[in-house]
Amino acid sequence: MTKLADWTLHHVDPDRLLYQLIDPDDPEDVPSWFAEVTAGGMKLESGDKGAVLVTMETRTRAKFYVAAVSVVGVFKADGRSATSETDDSILDASTREEVDEFARTVVNVLHPFLRAELFMLTSRFSGKPGIMLQPTAILGQQAKPD
């Protein structure tokens, strides 16, 4: 069986692109979806044909708007047949250390995509320069509050 460390990025899609103008004088004028998104959240799950789906998300709040972005990366083992049965066991069969190492790797792989999507979304509507995440991901730290 192939190890989780052998999985590489095959495809990335934007998943959630949410933007809403808010009233800067009303602190309660924030949409409910904003609270459901974490700043710097990540989820790993098994996908079809042995793929591992990794979702990364972030959010930001500016004076006049809130925005949330997530991207989904599809990771597969190179050389696996496209007709393979669904393999839900790769994450279960991996040790905690292997999953943690894979997570550290994919954060650095997906971060530039998340960064680009947030910048494009926040610069498209506000008429001001977009929000740009730092160039590289910082692991193991709490996200700064919005």
PDB file of all heavy atoms in Angstrom, residues 16 34-42 57-59:
ATOM      1  N   ARG A  16     -15.386  28.080  -1.415  1.00  0.00           N
ATOM      2  CA  ARG A  16     -16.285  29.077  -0.824  1.00  0.00           C
ATOM      3  C   ARG A  16     -15.695  30.447  -1.086  1.00  0.00           C
ATOM      4  O   ARG A  16     -14.575  30.737  -0.688  1.00  0.00           O
ATOM      5  CB  ARG A  16     -16.382  28.825   0.678  1.00  0.00           C
ATOM      6  CG  ARG A  16     -17.303  29.758   1.399  1.00  0.00           C
ATOM      7  CD  ARG A  16     -17.277  29.528   2.881  1.00  0.00           C
ATOM      8  NE  ARG A  16     -17.725  28.190   3.203  1.00  0.00           N
ATOM      9  CZ  ARG A  16     -17.838  27.724   4.430  1.00  0.00           C
ATOM     10  NH1 ARG A  16     -17.534  28.487   5.449  1.00  0.00           N
ATOM     11  NH2 ARG A  16     -18.247  26.504   4.665  1.00  0.00           N
ATOM     12  N   PHE A  34     -20.449  34.090   8.439  1.00  0.00           N
ATOM     13  CA  PHE A  34     -19.114  34.539   8.842  1.00  0.00           C
ATOM     14  C   PHE A  34     -18.634  33.808  10.096  1.00  0.00           C
ATOM     15  O   PHE A  34     -17.468  33.441  10.200  1.00  0.00           O
ATOM     16  CB  PHE A  34     -19.111  36.054   9.052  1.00  0.00           C
ATOM     17  CG  PHE A  34     -17.745  36.628   9.275  1.00  0.00           C
ATOM     18  CD1 PHE A  34     -16.850  36.732   8.214  1.00  0.00           C
ATOM     19  CD2 PHE A  34     -17.347  37.058  10.528  1.00  0.00           C
ATOM     20  CE1 PHE A  34     -15.582  37.264   8.407  1.00  0.00           C
ATOM     21  CE2 PHE A  34     -16.087  37.582  10.727  1.00  0.00           C
ATOM     22  CZ  PHE A  34     -15.199  37.686   9.667  1.00  0.00           C
ATOM     23  N   ALA A  35     -19.532  33.557  11.017  1.00  0.00           N
ATOM     24  CA  ALA A  35     -19.162  32.856  12.255  1.00  0.00           C
ATOM     25  C   ALA A  35     -18.855  31.380  12.017  1.00  0.00           C
ATOM     26  O   ALA A  35     -18.171  30.752  12.822  1.00  0.00           O
ATOM     27  CB  ALA A  35     -20.285  32.989  13.281  1.00  0.00           C
ATOM     28  N   GLU A  36     -19.335  30.836  10.915  1.00  0.00           N
ATOM     29  CA  GLU A  36     -19.118  29.418  10.615  1.00  0.00           C
ATOM     30  C   GLU A  36     -17.758  29.135   9.985  1.00  0.00           C
ATOM     31  O   GLU A  36     -17.358  27.982   9.867  1.00  0.00           O
ATOM     32  CB  GLU A  36     -20.225  28.918   9.684  1.00  0.00           C
ATOM     33  CG  GLU A  36     -21.599  29.002  10.304  1.00  0.00           C
ATOM     34  CD  GLU A  36     -22.707  28.751   9.297  1.00  0.00           C
ATOM     35  OE1 GLU A  36     -22.411  28.371   8.154  1.00  0.00           O
ATOM     36  OE2 GLU A  36     -23.875  28.946   9.669  1.00  0.00           O
ATOM     37  N   VAL A  37     -17.048  30.165   9.586  1.00  0.00           N
ATOM     38  CA  VAL A  37     -15.751  30.010   8.930  1.00  0.00           C
ATOM     39  C   VAL A  37     -14.650  30.341   9.932  1.00  0.00           C
ATOM     40  O   VAL A  37     -14.741  31.315  10.663  1.00  0.00           O
ATOM     41  CB  VAL A  37     -15.647  30.951   7.705  1.00  0.00           C
ATOM     42  CG1 VAL A  37     -14.294  30.812   7.022  1.00  0.00           C
ATOM     43  CG2 VAL A  37     -16.780  30.682   6.734  1.00  0.00           C
ATOM     44  N   THR A  38     -13.611  29.528   9.945  1.00  0.00           N
ATOM     45  CA  THR A  38     -12.489  29.799  10.839  1.00  0.00           C
ATOM     46  C   THR A  38     -11.373  30.494  10.073  1.00  0.00           C
ATOM     47  O   THR A  38     -11.221  30.309   8.873  1.00  0.00           O
ATOM     48  CB  THR A  38     -11.927  28.502  11.455  1.00  0.00           C
ATOM     49  OG1 THR A  38     -11.486  27.647  10.396  1.00  0.00           O
ATOM     50  CG2 THR A  38     -12.964  27.798  12.293  1.00  0.00           C
ATOM     51  N   ALA A  39     -10.610  31.290  10.776  1.00  0.00           N
ATOM     52  CA  ALA A  39      -9.439  31.927  10.170  1.00  0.00           C
ATOM     53  C   ALA A  39      -8.289  30.934  10.266  1.00  0.00           C
ATOM     54  O   ALA A  39      -7.716  30.723  11.323  1.00  0.00           O
ATOM     55  CB  ALA A  39      -9.092  33.213  10.906  1.00  0.00           C
ATOM     56  N   GLY A  40      -8.001  30.263   9.169  1.00  0.00           N
ATOM     57  CA  GLY A  40      -6.906  29.291   9.170  1.00  0.00           C
ATOM     58  C   GLY A  40      -7.355  27.870   9.434  1.00  0.00           C
ATOM     59  O   GLY A  40      -6.571  27.058   9.911  1.00  0.00           O
ATOM     60  N   GLY A  41      -8.597  27.528   9.121  1.00  0.00           N
ATOM     61  CA  GLY A  41      -9.084  26.168   9.341  1.00  0.00           C
ATOM     62  C   GLY A  41      -8.671  25.225   8.225  1.00  0.00           C
ATOM     63  O   GLY A  41      -8.462  25.624   7.089  1.00  0.00           O
ATOM     64  N   MET A  42      -8.539  23.928   8.572  1.00  0.00           N
ATOM     65  CA  MET A  42      -8.189  22.912   7.588  1.00  0.00           C
ATOM     66  C   MET A  42      -8.903  21.611   7.948  1.00  0.00           C
ATOM     67  O   MET A  42      -9.036  21.262   9.117  1.00  0.00           O
ATOM     68  CB  MET A  42      -6.681  22.668   7.564  1.00  0.00           C
ATOM     69  CG  MET A  42      -6.272  21.665   6.499  1.00  0.00           C
ATOM     70  SD  MET A  42      -4.493  21.506   6.318  1.00  0.00           S
ATOM     71  CE  MET A  42      -4.096  20.538   7.744  1.00  0.00           C
ATOM     72  N   GLU A  57      -9.446  27.120   4.795  1.00  0.00           N
ATOM     73  CA  GLU A  57     -10.309  28.293   4.755  1.00  0.00           C
ATOM     74  C   GLU A  57      -9.745  29.419   5.596  1.00  0.00           C
ATOM     75  O   GLU A  57      -8.916  29.206   6.482  1.00  0.00           O
ATOM     76  CB  GLU A  57     -11.718  27.944   5.231  1.00  0.00           C
ATOM     77  CG  GLU A  57     -11.820  27.549   6.672  1.00  0.00           C
ATOM     78  CD  GLU A  57     -13.228  27.130   7.071  1.00  0.00           C
ATOM     79  OE1 GLU A  57     -14.099  26.975   6.198  1.00  0.00           O
ATOM     80  OE2 GLU A  57     -13.458  26.969   8.279  1.00  0.00           O
ATOM     81  N   THR A  58     -10.216  30.608   5.287  1.00  0.00           N
ATOM     82  CA  THR A  58      -9.875  31.777   6.083  1.00  0.00           C
ATOM     83  C   THR A  58     -10.987  32.806   5.938  1.00  0.00           C
ATOM     84  O   THR A  58     -11.857  32.681   5.077  1.00  0.00           O
ATOM     85  CB  THR A  58      -8.512  32.380   5.684  1.00  0.00           C
ATOM     86  OG1 THR A  58      -8.107  33.318   6.688  1.00  0.00           O
ATOM     87  CG2 THR A  58      -8.563  33.061   4.331  1.00  0.00           C
ATOM     88  N   ARG A  59     -10.963  33.784   6.785  1.00  0.00           N
ATOM     89  CA  ARG A  59     -11.948  34.859   6.726  1.00  0.00           C
ATOM     90  C   ARG A  59     -11.276  36.156   7.123  1.00  0.00           C
ATOM     91  O   ARG A  59     -10.201  36.158   7.734  1.00  0.00           O
ATOM     92  CB  ARG A  59     -13.123  34.572   7.648  1.00  0.00           C
ATOM     93  CG  ARG A  59     -12.742  34.619   9.116  1.00  0.00           C
ATOM     94  CD  ARG A  59     -13.893  34.299  10.004  1.00  0.00           C
ATOM     95  NE  ARG A  59     -13.548  34.577  11.396  1.00  0.00           N
ATOM     96  CZ  ARG A  59     -14.389  34.502  12.378  1.00  0.00           C
ATOM     97  NH1 ARG A  59     -15.652  34.162  12.149  1.00  0.00           N
ATOM     98  NH2 ARG A  59     -14.012  34.770  13.607  1.00  0.00           N
TER      99      ARG A  59
END
